[in-house]
Amino acid sequence: MDTTQAKERIAALSDDIRRHNYNYYVLSRPTIVDYEFDMLLEELISLEKEFPELVDSDSPTQHVGGEITKEFRQVQHKYPMLSLGNTYSEAEIGDFEERVHKIIGDGVEYVCELKFDGVAIGLTYIHGRLTQAVTRGDGQYGDDVTSNVKTIRSIPLKLHGTGYPEEFEIRGEIILPHASFEKMNIQRMEDGDEPFANPRNAASGSLKMQDPAEVAKRNLDGFFYYLPGNTLPFKTHYECLLAARSWGFKISEFAVRCNTSSDIFDYLNTWDKARHELPFDIDGIVIKVNDLRQQEILGFTAKSPRWAISYKFKAEQAATKLLSVAYQVGRTGAITPVANLHPVQLAGTVVKRASLHNADIIAALDVRIGDMVFVEKGGEIIPKIIGVDMEKRSADSSPVLFISNCPECDTPLVRSDGESAWYCPNGNGCPPQIKGKLEHFISRKAMNIDSLGEGKIEILFDNGLVRTCADLYDLRSDHLIGLEKTYESNDDKKEKKISFREKTVANIMNGIEASKKVSFDRVLYALGIRFVGETVARKLTTHFLSLEALQAASFTDLIEVEEIGEKIARSILDWFSDPKNLEIIARLRIAGIHFEMDESLLARLSDNLSGKSFVVSGVFEDFSRDELKKTIEAHGGKNVGSISAKTSYLLAGENMGPEKRKKAEKLGVAIISVDDFLRMI
Ligand code: IVH
């Protein structure tokens, strides 16, 4: 195929794929089966690879994610990104209508819309192409998150149809649908990361990620609702929405025109109930004057438009009986009281448990067993108890006596000054803490033994094979073969069975063996010393260079290190003063774990690739595979042997096997060239 033919084919494929993306992600009405779609995309990817000079910045292949962003550029909004006045009652909506009526007179038409609970975004299109995506920031300046927004498949990189202004901005909300949110949190918990509290936080966190290829995996979505500026050839807001829809934007089908107050209240009451059936979060409705001329007359206050207002739904509450309080021991030993409730229907789900946070909150609420309590589900997934119905308190209600000993190991609990949580101090002897420590040790950013996981650690623990991370290195295959356990999956709550067959065991042993190569900074992080996270571990290892030196460091030596404060220093000294920990270190040392910075890491050039894993495959013109692998490590990245869903990139050279490519595409792993790679670092 020559360049002219390739250009034509790329244009035709891009148009087709764009249309299919629109049908699938915007209209939810695909007209092609997944396999055929994948074939089209694959053809486009390989043509773009063959003819890199023909790659367009708005090619649909850009949805898989481009270059890494180290820091987001601050961009000034052309039109300040204002927010809306909030109301919480029908009376306040009446006041709003009254204000509008005073200025405009009779017969004002409104548009009622859903108020999407996500992250506000402004997209700029020039000649029909997405050129910039900026977050709200402080309303005047926001972050340029264009490369991340480009990965959202429902957002058109190139507009459809005609009639759009040469240059314009459209505003909307980036959201994370419930299904993607749940999937993402399951993955985070498996990786030992904190789950996000709600989809809005998750969407916001995702938009700020440095690697667009990772953002692409998050399944973000976006709804658009506003075209700022008055250069549009339309008379009403509603017409703007219809036009934007015809250009390929996802516009909610639930925007309706209302001519009377009772239409508005009907809309409000309908959605207050029906919101739980939506596959994403809304936190209210928005009421806008439809006529653009009238909007102009009404204008803006310093903070918000006078032509629109939002009505926020109240967090739903229910009253139910507090049956008992249970206490959970977390990985760090922190004790969390959890209320067991008489099951009650709340915001679309049956609630049986609620968080009570800590002893202070229990005391402040003055909550007693047997009380009728009010539970509320705000933006967070776990409902909380917000009060007690004192009138219904019965004479036989009994105070909640916070436990004084650990429910798992019976050790007396401790609480330091100024902290609200009680802790079980038996870190090395309390089962959930031991398992938690092991899970942390094997986690991806630590020793990365991904052939082990929560369930398998549990089996090893239950069979008395591991009590500390050092025990992992004494395991032998014949200890493991044949062990099994049934457990309830976090995922779908169904019973699953893990059994250790030969292949599983071989994988575990290989994973443990491979972990001996993990660099000292990650080993230090893996040890799970309180307050020593990834960054602190890196600071400490680059400063002290060996575990021996770190261990010999005094309080003063420690706080001299950049970013190490008194709290961290004290925690490190505490950790090294425990003989059990010293024994663990001694055994890990015998096992061959790195306790020194190795030379290649001292030569670390940057952290640009930190947290990223690469498979290097094929032949490269200017580099050997080994050189590339060393470069990856020198920039904080990691080399892995085979592609999995966790791999960040496939660095592809010539003559790479087609199977590898297929696997990477299937798992959504970004395939990059040496040039892409060099740009990243
Ligand atoms: S219109 C000039 N419409 O809610 C203001 N905003 O609390 C234009 N939001 O800033 C905003 N859904 O981030 C509008 N259908 C909707 C919305 C919506 C969610 C967000 C938006 C806004 C905030 C106000």
Side-chain angles (χ1 to χ4, degrees), residues 213-265:
E214 287 296 313
V215 185
K217 294 180 192 159
R218 297 261 170 122
N219 293 325
L220 293 169
D221 204 345
F223 281 100
F224 291 84
Y225 46 63
Y226 178 46
L227 289 148
N230 46 11
T231 53
L232 297 156
F234 306 110
K235 285 206 172 66
T236 64
H237 170 65
Y238 197 74
E239 280 175 67
C240 291
L241 293 181
L242 295 184
R245 181 180 288 150
S246 77
W247 303 332
F249 292 103
K250 190 156 177 166
I251 307 290
S252 165
E253 58 190 302
F254 303 120
V256 299
R257 284 167 292 183
C258 294
N259 284 291
T260 65
S261 299
S262 80
D263 287 350
I264 296 177
F265 296 142

Side-chain angles (χ1 to χ4, degrees), residues 82 84 113-116 120 136 173 225-226 286 288 305:
L82 303 175
L84 293 169
E113 295 173 15
L114 303 182
K115 184 170 182 323
F116 304 98
R136 178 200 302 282
E173 207 85 355
Y225 46 63
Y226 178 46
V286 180
K288 299 175 181 170

Side-chain angles (χ1 to χ4, degrees), residues 540 544 550 553-562 564-565 568-570 572-573:
L540 289 168
F544 290 104
L550 174 64
S554 67
F555 184 76
T556 335
D557 296 338
L558 286 166
I559 54 172
E560 263 170 21
V561 184
E562 190 194 346
I564 310 297
I568 303 177
R570 221 165 284 127
I572 295 170
L573 290 174

